[in-house]
Amino acid sequence: MNRKKSDIAIIVVTYNPDISVLSNVLTELDAYNDIYISDNGSNNFEDIYKVSLQYRNVFLINNRENVGIGVAQNVALDQILKQEKYRFTFYLDQDSFVRENVLQKLKKEYLKLLEKNIKVGSISVVEHSIDNKPCHFEFVNQTISSGMLIPVKVLKQVGNMYGELFIDWIDYEWCWRAKKNGFKIVRDNECFFQHEIGTDERVLGKIPPAPFRLYYVYRNIIILMADHKTLDHSNMKWGLFKQFIFNTVFCPNRLQRVKYIIWGIKDGKKRVLGKNTKISG
């Protein structure tokens, strides 16, 4: 019995991905879904291209350089929205894996909420490692983009991703914007996905971010706090303080981390957007 093709378009942004992990994702999801890979100038683009040819429903976009996560997502989104044949978009990081049956379950759970007249902006899967799940559906302020299902009609109302942030806080900012438009951000604690953590060394149980990422973390949140006045700024500032202590006391390359944090704060106050071309990474 042939199953009808899904009305979900999947977006995967790649940047020097592990080809075996990417292949696993494509093998699992290609049969019933269209998958849009938006590549940000990967060194192994030829390998990505060869892998993409093995699948009938994979569409590869070559951005030729690292344009950032938000812009790469938007490039794929623009192609998806023009076709007017999809009902949903689903986002996955290049190192995340979700089963086809979980994706379809997530869609069904969204439809159940819709029947209850709940205005859902997005519904997301959770990692297996999350403990103490309080309930089936959890209404949250924000969630990461990987594992997030967004109806196309919501995107048309809320808008695409804030690409000028380049990286960091892009998914959270979209959630905040959706909430401003009256939508609920939902996490489905009974739908799971896997996130490959690789062999990165952990500090206090956490994987330290690359030092250059701290520039975007601090720059972007300062800009977003100015844009979103109703957010809990005190809680955000406390989070930034804890990040500062973690990165400058416990992590390697402490002086470099301090440098990027200060640089990010200064540029955030100046409202500098886009990619910082003086930073490698």
Side-chain angles (χ1 to χ4, degrees):
M1 178 177 171
N2 292 327
R3 196 181 112 183
K4 184 180 178 182
K5 192 173 179 182
S6 168
D7 55 1
I8 301 172
I10 299 170
I11 297 175
V12 182
V13 175
T14 53
Y15 182 67
N16 302 328
D18 182 318
I19 298 299
S20 63
V21 173
L22 181 63
S23 296
N24 288 340
V25 172
L26 301 183
T27 299
E28 176 66 23
L29 300 175
D30 170 74
Y32 301 109
N33 310 278
D34 286 343
I35 304 172
Y36 291 78
I37 300 175
S38 189
D39 184 71
N40 273 344
S42 293
N43 294 328
N44 58 346
F45 179 79
E46 287 299 320
D47 294 328
I48 300 170
Y49 175 70
K50 289 176 184 176
V51 166
S52 70
L53 293 178
Q54 299 173 23
Y55 302 91
R56 61 179 180 176
N57 296 318
V58 172
F59 304 91
L60 179 59
I61 301 166
N62 185 4
N63 296 314
R64 301 189 182 279
E65 62 177 326
N66 189 357
V67 295
I69 291 175
V71 170
Q73 289 174 333
N74 287 342
V75 171
L77 273 173
D78 288 344
Q79 290 195 18
I80 289 166
L81 296 178
K82 283 177 184 177
Q83 297 183 59
E84 298 186 349
K85 66 177 182 177
Y86 303 107
R87 188 176 179 186
F88 300 92
T89 55
F90 182 73
Y91 302 79
L92 268 184
D93 286 350
Q94 64 184 25
D95 53 359
S96 298
F97 179 85
V98 67
R99 293 285 181 191
E100 169 66 20
N101 64 329
V102 172
L103 177 57
Q104 295 306 320
K105 180 185 176 184
L106 191 68
K107 173 184 166 181
K108 289 178 182 177
E109 299 297 349
Y110 162 79
L111 294 174
K112 288 179 184 177
L113 291 172
L114 205 62
E115 289 174 359
K116 296 178 181 178
N117 294 318
I118 298 174
K119 193 177 177 183
V120 179
S122 70
I123 183 169
S124 300
V125 297
V126 295
E127 285 190 65
H128 280 291
S129 59
I130 295 178
D131 298 320
N132 302 318
K133 302 173 184 67
C135 54
H136 183 174
F137 297 116
E138 188 177 357
F139 297 97
V140 296
N141 289 322
Q142 65 271 322
T143 184
I144 61 171
S145 61
S146 189
M148 183 160 62
L149 182 76
I150 303 178
V152 165
K153 66 178 182 180
V154 174
L155 280 166
K156 289 181 177 179
Q157 184 173 338
V158 176
N160 288 8
M161 303 300 164
Y162 192 170
E164 288 181 299
L165 294 177
F166 187 71
I167 192 172
D168 289 307
W169 299 99
I170 293 168
D171 37 18
Y172 280 22
E173 190 279 334
W174 187 91
C175 292
W176 299 336
R177 208 170 350 122
K179 289 192 71 176
K180 273 187 177 180
N181 281 269
F183 292 101
K184 300 289 187 183
I185 306 301
V186 183
R187 192 159 55 203
D188 188 331
N189 291 318
E190 294 184 4
C191 286
F192 306 105
F193 80 136
Q194 296 172 331
H195 191 74
E196 299 291 332
I197 60 174
T199 57
D200 296 287
E201 292 186 7
R202 290 175 174 257
V203 175
L204 301 181
K206 299 178 181 179
I207 300 174
F212 82 90
R213 289 285 296 270
L214 294 169
Y215 167 83
Y216 294 104
V217 168
Y218 281 80
R219 183 198 74 174
N220 291 352
I221 195 56
I222 287 172
I223 292 171
L224 294 179
M225 282 194 293
D227 290 349
H228 297 267
K229 303 288 187 183
T230 59
L231 295 175
D232 185 354
H233 288 193
S234 60
N235 190 47
M236 289 183 172
K237 289 175 182 177
W238 174 241
L240 291 176
F241 175 74
K242 289 192 292 185
Q243 278 211 50
F244 179 84
I245 297 300
F246 173 71
N247 279 278
T248 61
V249 175
F250 300 102
C251 295
N253 306 310
R254 296 173 192 173
L255 291 178
Q256 192 178 27
R257 292 174 187 275
V258 170
K259 168 191 164 185
Y260 282 123
I261 289 171
I262 293 173
W263 194 356
I265 291 171
K266 288 180 177 178
D267 278 0
K269 290 179 178 179
K270 296 176 185 176
R271 201 174 178 83
V272 175
L273 286 164
K275 180 179 180 179
N276 187 326
T277 56
K278 296 179 182 178
I279 293 177
S280 60

